[in-house]
Amino acid sequence: MEGLADDVLRSVLTAAGGYDWCVTEFVRVTTTVLPHSCYTRLSPELKHASRTANGTPVRIQLLGSDPALLAANAAHLALLKPSGIDLNFGCPTPLVNRHRGAALLEEPELLQRIASAVRRAPVPPAIPVTAKMRLGIEDAERALDCALALEAGGVQELVVHARTKADGYGPLVRWECIARIREVVRLPLIANGEVWNVADYRNIRAVTGCADVMLGRGAVADPLLARRIRNGGEEHPS
Ligand SMILES: Cc1cc2nc3c(=O)[nH]c(=O)nc-3n(C[C@H](O)[C@H](O)[C@H](O)COP(=O)(O)O)c2cc1C
């Protein structure tokens, strides 16, 4: 999470346990191939096999809209052997939307071109290319098309934040839309949005049918949440 989940926070949260992997704040890819120093500043973990101190893999998140430029950045980044490269198609903030951000969700064909360009960058097969999306801009009409486009483009996992851009961070969260995507899309889906406690975790899994869940603000509000989830609701398993 931009402005929040830096390497220090990633280290503290993953040390508490319960995470399979984590992801950096996004890097804007706008006009150039960024130098390695930009990535190592964002993720000092790159100097430690792209893992936090307790060994949790850290994926690097890119945000942009130009397939060739994103591919060139991914190829350059791949030389640093990141644990994964994640493409962000879900950022709703106005500054980011000048660089498109969630606006790309109106153009599934462009999402597919971005994903396949990054996959063919070349990024070695050992480095997963994953993506994160919201459900759409104003409504969730094209959410399934976007997920299918990313699947066709070759992403290996897809995190879906169950809101549109217009939903912002408001009270409406549409877990049931993730369930509809899951019925059609084969690639592993990770459900995201409004998981603040173990009961929310159980509910989002039940509604979406997803085995995996991404924690955002809930992880910061309760640094032991992932561990409690992993331990089946108990802080200290017997
Ligand atoms: C301050 C802030 C910064 C965020 N930055 C990012 C980001 O850099 N990349 C990203 O994929 N999502 C980002 N998000 C979205 C979260 O990852 C997550 O999708 C969203 O908060 C919903 O999940 P939650 O209800 O568990 O927080 C950010 C959210 C917040 C509140």
Side-chain angles (χ1 to χ4, degrees), residues 42-129:
L42 178 87
S43 181
E45 297 99 334
L46 284 166
K47 294 178 182 154
H48 305 281
S50 194
R51 287 169 186 268
T52 64
N54 90 328
T56 305
V58 182
R59 297 182 185 172
I60 311 293
Q61 190 177 72
L62 304 181
L63 180 137
S65 57
D66 179 330
L69 190 59
L70 281 163
N73 270 276
H76 191 53
L77 167 59
L79 300 175
L80 295 173
K81 299 191 170 66
S83 294
I85 296 178
D86 190 54
L87 302 169
N88 182 337
F89 301 114
C91 202
T93 62
L95 177 64
V96 164
N97 274 296
R98 262 192 268 136
H99 303 296
R100 314 294 299 282
L104 292 172
L105 297 171
E106 265 168 7
E107 297 177 61
E109 48 302 321
L110 179 55
L111 294 193
Q112 179 170 346
R113 280 201 287 127
I114 290 173
S116 73
V118 168
R119 190 63 277 177
R120 289 185 279 105
V123 174
I127 301 177
V129 173

Side-chain angles (χ1 to χ4, degrees), residues 124-161:
I127 301 177
V129 173
T130 56
K132 164 106 183 291
M133 60 175 263
R134 283 196 181 225
L135 296 170
I137 311 289
E138 295 298 328
D139 56 49
E141 295 276 301
R142 305 208 73 183
L144 182 56
D145 292 341
C146 289
L148 285 168
L150 290 168
E151 180 174 57
V155 308
Q156 280 145 282
E157 288 177 309
L158 175 61
V159 178
V160 183
H161 176 188

Side-chain angles (χ1 to χ4, degrees), residues 1-4 23-26 61 86 88 90-92 132 134 159 161 163 169 192-196 214-219:
M1 290 187 285
E2 198 207 13
L4 203 55
V23 64
T24 62
E25 302 157 88
F26 64 75
Q61 190 177 72
D86 190 54
N88 182 337
C91 202
K132 164 106 183 291
R134 283 196 181 225
V159 178
H161 176 188
R163 285 193 177 91
Y169 286 95
N192 170 239
E194 294 298 312
V195 175
W196 298 93
M214 176 198 155
L215 300 180
R217 294 161 301 165

